[in-house]
Amino acid sequence: MWNTLSRMLHTGLLTESLPTCDEAAPTLETLQNDLLKILGRALCIRHVDAGSCNGCELEIQALNNPYYNLEGAGIKFVASPRHADMLLVTGPVSVNMEEALKRTYDAMPDPKWVIAIGDCGACGGVFGTSYASRGGVASIIPVNHVVMGCPPNPASLFSGILRTIASTRIE
Amino acid sequence: MATNFMELQSASLPANVPCKLARVDRQQWLQTAEALRQSNARILALWGADDRDRDGSFHIYAAYLLPDSVLVVEHCMEDASTPSYPSLAVFFPAASRMQRAVFDLLGIATDESDTRGWLRHGGWSETLFPLRRDVDGKHQYPVASAPYPFVSVEGDGVHEIAVGPVHAGTIEPGHFRFSVVGEKVLRLEERLGYTHKGIAKLFENASQQNGHRLAARISGDSAVAFSWAYCAALEAITETVCPARAILLRALALEHERLANHLGDLGALGNDAGFAFGLTHFSRLKEDLLRANAAAFGARYLLDYLIPGGVTVDLTADARCRLLNLYDALEPSVTQMRSIYDEHAGLQDRFREAGRLERATAEELGAIGLVARASGVACDLRVDHPWPPYDTLAPKMILQSGGDVAARVQARFDEIFESLRICRALLAGPPMAEIQTPVPIAAANLLGIGLIEGWRGPVMIALKTGSGGGIRSCHAHDPSWQNWPLLEYAILGNIVPDFPLINKSFNLSYSGQDG
Ligand code: SF4
């Protein structure tokens, strides 16, 4: 127990400020106001791997580490698409995941946002389109925003999420 | 009577570890397997090739890991209209799924009774074999439903729980079918292949100089291991000697990959056992490492750090300093976290006895990599077949005997400390020197093997060159192929709610096995 307490005390608070993005550069406050206005509560995100190499997953997982502390900004990952407002889709869409991706999207309540993650999510990346790959996410479900990178780092993922929310406010 | 495989005619094969190739007939294919089984060899990989354009036939290859070398066995099937070969599954159960995958891609059959598709889920027709040379891999087909009959368990109160392919967390897709009584698991059957991206076919359109980029994306968490295996195969074929400095940097990148994954897994394992504190602190340590990677190597994840003939950048004096500081900070932190984990009664209660994989089962079924070592099976390429620079680093074999989640946790802790030792030794090498050498274009139809002990276990690339600097074929093998079936054993008798924890303690790659 002593070890646990001492580790907490010595680590302190590591959370960094929100990454900025050009359209809105939200502070924590404006972000939370936006979320409250649009959803009336925390933003719930669901991730679906539609055939990625698992590199993008690692960076999405990093969003929850103490430096980025996504949850601290009022954004949380949920276990079911039925609880989700936003879908992060990684990978080129493999033909074997096409149906599952469609069903996940259909299970989400409206309003919903979709972000295609990584070069693969954008256009299929190195995998392109083939007998086994449908290419980018937009070829299967509507996409609101794309975050490029291979894999994109957590700051650009975070920024992509904020940008998607901010663009809704502007509309 | 099994023939002695030592007596087989074999030729040496270009590779980064001692490697031989033996060509066998149909009968010897099985006899060799039996003899290898008796001498405790492990199967490393199995793949096929369509060589009808060259010699009118299909070929099947099996790579085996022997105590002192690797043996690749090749069998040419004369009947090209209905090609088949005897199944190896009686001697090497792990071969079963690999054989099903070979059938889905090439239409080469075995005498096995389980003919259910493994990679083909209805995304292309069952009479179309995408890896055949006369099939256009770019063509798209509509998905047709393809029923997949799971083996059912009958009895009073037995019911099934179907999970996936989409899981509840930020993880890869796969399907798990549990047969349970109450909470207790009577049987688990996995169905994988959801992330199949046709990588083998894509390799055929890549150039020798560019294939490493695709290799790095077979399983992103093992990018360094796969790209090194690719480069090693190409460099062996072209007899390229990498600069000594580049080899040290490759090993440094590989050990960083091991550290990053182990740190991430230890956090996730704590979390899955209800100890979120573990996730918070380990994910912080992992982030520190990734940021140091970005500063030292130019990227958080080293997907494009290795290139044929070397690496992309050397460490500056500053970066070297930063890495040494990182190790100095990481070591006491991990030591402290280990004692927190060890002393946490609730955590240990969940870890101990959960998902036990007995040593006998691990050996019988051909476990490999970290999972094998946590069940007391000593196998680590860095120790058994040390390729440069590991031949000068004296890596320690990390062994645990428990075979349960607790043992796999302890193995990760031990490997972190050993990796840190290796990293420090690598940084002691001479600074800033040549890091690249040109790799000549290889002649066509040369086979080379690259074999690297990644954090999960041995990853293998079997590269066959094509004409004009192209690739004729490239088979990539992830150790998850061998270890996925073992998870089905480790879960038996455990309760369903412990599955996420047990699964995480294996942490196998879906993308790596799906290809
Ligand atoms: S974008 Fe890169 S890291 Fe992400 S899934 Fe594709 S290949 Fe992997």
Side-chain angles (χ1 to χ4, degrees):
Chain A
M1 198 61 212
W2 172 244
N3 256 331
T4 312
L5 289 173
S6 120
R7 179 135 197 102
M8 283 181 188
L9 286 173
H10 283 111
T11 306
L13 273 184
L14 301 173
T15 307
E16 297 165 344
S17 56
L18 296 186
T20 52
C21 61
D22 11 305
E23 271 132 287
T27 61
L28 195 55
E29 218 168 39
T30 57
L31 168 75
Q32 284 167 351
N33 275 338
D34 282 351
L35 289 177
L36 267 180
K37 252 184 258 149
I38 302 165
L39 299 169
R41 54 170 168 73
L43 172 72
C44 297
I45 302 187
R46 182 71 180 85
H47 158 257
V48 171
D49 173 346
S52 93
C53 81
N54 78 28
C56 283
E57 278 62 34
L58 300 173
E59 291 294 44
I60 293 178
Q61 284 164 4
L63 285 171
N64 273 327
N65 78 34
Y67 291 102
Y68 304 103
N69 191 14
L70 193 73
E71 209 150 312
I75 303 174
K76 62 171 184 178
F77 282 91
V78 290
S80 166
R82 295 187 201 284
H83 303 156
D85 313 302
M86 181 183 276
L87 194 62
L88 303 187
V89 188
T90 55
V93 182
S94 70
V95 298
N96 293 350
M97 278 303 288
E98 185 180 344
E99 185 59 33
L101 175 62
K102 279 190 203 148
R103 286 205 211 166
T104 305
Y105 177 79
D106 289 343
M108 289 170 70
D110 282 318
K112 50 190 168 192
W113 294 291
V114 175
I115 307 187
I117 304 293
D119 294 354
C120 290
C123 64
V126 293
F127 307 109
T129 53
S130 71
Y131 77 92
S133 161
R134 300 283 189 238
V137 178
S139 61
I140 304 299
I141 54 172
V143 167
N144 300 86
H145 194 75
V146 173
V147 181
M148 303 283 285
C150 183
N153 61 36
S156 33
L157 289 170
F158 206 148
S159 192
I161 294 169
L162 298 183
R163 204 186 284 250
T164 309
I165 301 165
S167 66
T168 305
R169 184 185 55 185
I170 289 159
E171 277 161 23
Chain B
M1 227 323 258
T3 50
N4 186 347
F5 61 90
M6 297 302 205
E7 287 160 16
L8 285 172
Q9 287 277 338
S10 63
S12 87
L13 205 56
N16 63 319
V17 295
C19 188
K20 286 198 151 48
L21 172 74
R23 296 203 164 87
V24 300
D25 62 25
R26 195 180 166 94
Q27 206 184 4
Q28 287 169 324
W29 170 260
L30 218 49
Q31 288 171 340
T32 317
E34 185 174 8
L36 286 162
R37 169 86 237 188
Q38 284 163 5
S39 60
N40 290 325
R42 252 176 286 260
I43 190 160
L44 257 183
L46 182 122
W47 69 102
D50 174 4
D51 282 335
R52 286 172 302 165
D53 56 335
R54 293 192 60 223
D55 60 10
S57 34
F58 288 96
H59 292 234
I60 185 86
Y61 296 83
Y64 299 95
L65 190 59
L66 280 65
D68 58 348
S69 62
V70 170
L71 178 67
V72 177
V73 180
E74 176 184 7
H75 167 53
C76 163
M77 285 154 275
E78 267 133 44
D79 176 4
S81 57
T82 49
S84 77
Y85 60 97
S87 164
L88 298 180
V90 271
F91 303 120
F92 298 98
S96 172
R97 288 176 181 176
M98 303 181 211
Q99 294 174 164
R100 286 164 66 190
V102 168
F103 179 80
D104 287 348
L105 297 178
L106 281 161
I108 312 175
T110 63
D111 43 7
E112 208 42 33
S113 57
D114 188 352
T115 54
R116 293 173 298 171
W118 186 246
L119 299 179
R120 195 188 76 83
H121 290 194
W124 60 92
S125 117
E126 58 187 326
T127 52
L128 182 113
F129 302 106
L131 213 47
R132 289 192 174 184
R133 296 203 181 269
D134 46 9
V135 172
D136 170 17
K138 286 267 166 224
H139 198 81
Q140 305 242 343
Y141 309 91
V143 178
S145 96
Y148 190 87
F150 286 91
V151 176
S152 69
V153 177
E154 279 167 23
D156 213 16
V158 180
H159 67 281
E160 282 189 357
I161 306 176
V163 182
V166 178
H167 297 154
T170 304
I171 46 168
E172 299 178 76
H175 185 94
F176 300 114
R177 187 65 61 99
F178 299 93
S179 297
V180 299
V181 164
E183 284 192 308
K184 200 166 151 187
V185 179
L186 297 181
R187 180 185 164 86
L188 162 64
E189 189 176 347
E190 299 154 354
R191 185 190 188 196
L192 304 174
Y194 289 91
T195 68
H196 177 65
K197 296 178 273 293
I199 294 178
K201 192 78 179 177
L202 291 173
F203 266 121
E204 294 177 6
N205 289 319
S207 70
Q208 293 168 14
Q209 299 293 330
N210 250 334
H212 63 287
R213 295 201 64 237
L214 200 49
R217 286 156 180 83
I218 289 160
S219 181
D221 57 15
S222 305
V224 175
F226 271 111
S227 50
W228 194 351
Y230 177 88
C231 293
L234 183 62
E235 288 154 7
I237 293 173
T238 53
E239 296 178 6
T240 306
V241 180
C242 257
R245 177 72 184 156
I247 286 173
L248 293 190
L249 290 169
R250 284 180 175 182
L252 191 66
L254 186 71
E255 295 308 318
H256 274 218
E257 187 165 87
R258 193 179 319 277
L259 286 169
N261 280 293
H262 284 359
L263 289 171
D265 284 352
L266 286 170
L269 282 159
N271 198 48
D272 279 346
F275 191 48
F277 171 91
L279 178 62
T280 307
H281 284 267
F282 275 113
S283 64
R284 177 262 167 123
L285 297 175
K286 180 176 178 182
E287 180 71 19
D288 290 342
L289 175 75
L290 296 177
R291 290 180 178 195
N293 272 357
F297 304 103
R300 291 162 57 87
Y301 284 98
L302 307 177
L303 275 78
D304 298 310
Y305 182 61
L306 275 72
I307 51 172
V311 294
T312 49
V313 291
D314 202 342
L315 300 177
T316 60
D318 268 3
R320 182 175 172 276
C321 240
R322 175 158 181 180
L323 291 186
L324 286 170
N325 290 340
L326 171 86
Y327 305 151
D328 288 348
L330 209 49
E331 192 150 27
S333 288
V334 177
T335 307
Q336 187 183 31
M337 287 303 292
R338 183 179 212 168
S339 64
I340 291 173
Y341 270 33
D342 285 352
E343 287 159 17
H344 194 292
L347 208 52
Q348 291 305 320
D349 188 45
R350 291 287 307 277
F351 286 173
R352 291 202 190 136
E353 298 297 325
R356 185 185 290 281
L357 178 68
E358 300 289 351
R359 181 181 173 154
T361 317
E363 271 174 350
E364 178 73 22
L365 299 178
I368 211 156
L370 178 116
V371 167
R373 295 195 289 276
S375 287
V377 181
C379 59
D380 185 331
L381 294 172
R382 294 174 300 165
V383 179
D384 303 333
H385 307 272
W387 70 99
Y390 288 99
D391 50 350
T392 59
L393 293 165
K396 202 165 90 194
M397 177 77 72
I398 303 296
L399 273 186
Q400 287 286 333
S401 55
D404 52 1
V405 173
R408 290 185 282 275
V409 167
Q410 293 301 337
R412 284 176 167 93
F413 274 116
D414 290 340
E415 291 199 5
I416 286 180
F417 295 119
E418 177 61 3
S419 268
L420 285 171
R421 183 191 71 76
I422 293 174
C423 288
R424 287 195 176 103
L426 289 165
L427 284 185
M432 303 296 273
E434 203 194 344
I435 54 161
Q436 286 169 20
T437 189
V439 177
I441 300 241
N445 298 313
L446 297 174
L447 179 65
I449 303 289
L451 192 59
I452 300 292
E453 183 83 20
W455 67 273
R456 206 177 253 126
V459 311
M460 197 198 83
I461 292 275
L463 174 69
K464 194 166 209 179
T465 53
S467 55
I471 293 174
R472 181 165 168 86
S473 66
C474 183
H475 176 74
H477 182 92
D478 188 279
S480 304
W481 276 105
Q482 282 93 326
N483 289 348
W484 270 118
L486 299 171
L487 181 61
E488 295 181 342
Y489 284 84
I491 183 72
L492 294 181
N494 287 258
I495 56 173
V496 179
D498 269 343
F499 179 71
L501 178 69
I502 296 168
N503 189 17
K504 190 77 216 174
S505 74
F506 276 70
N507 195 10
L508 303 172
S509 175
Y510 299 72
S511 181
Q513 99 96 58
D514 296 349

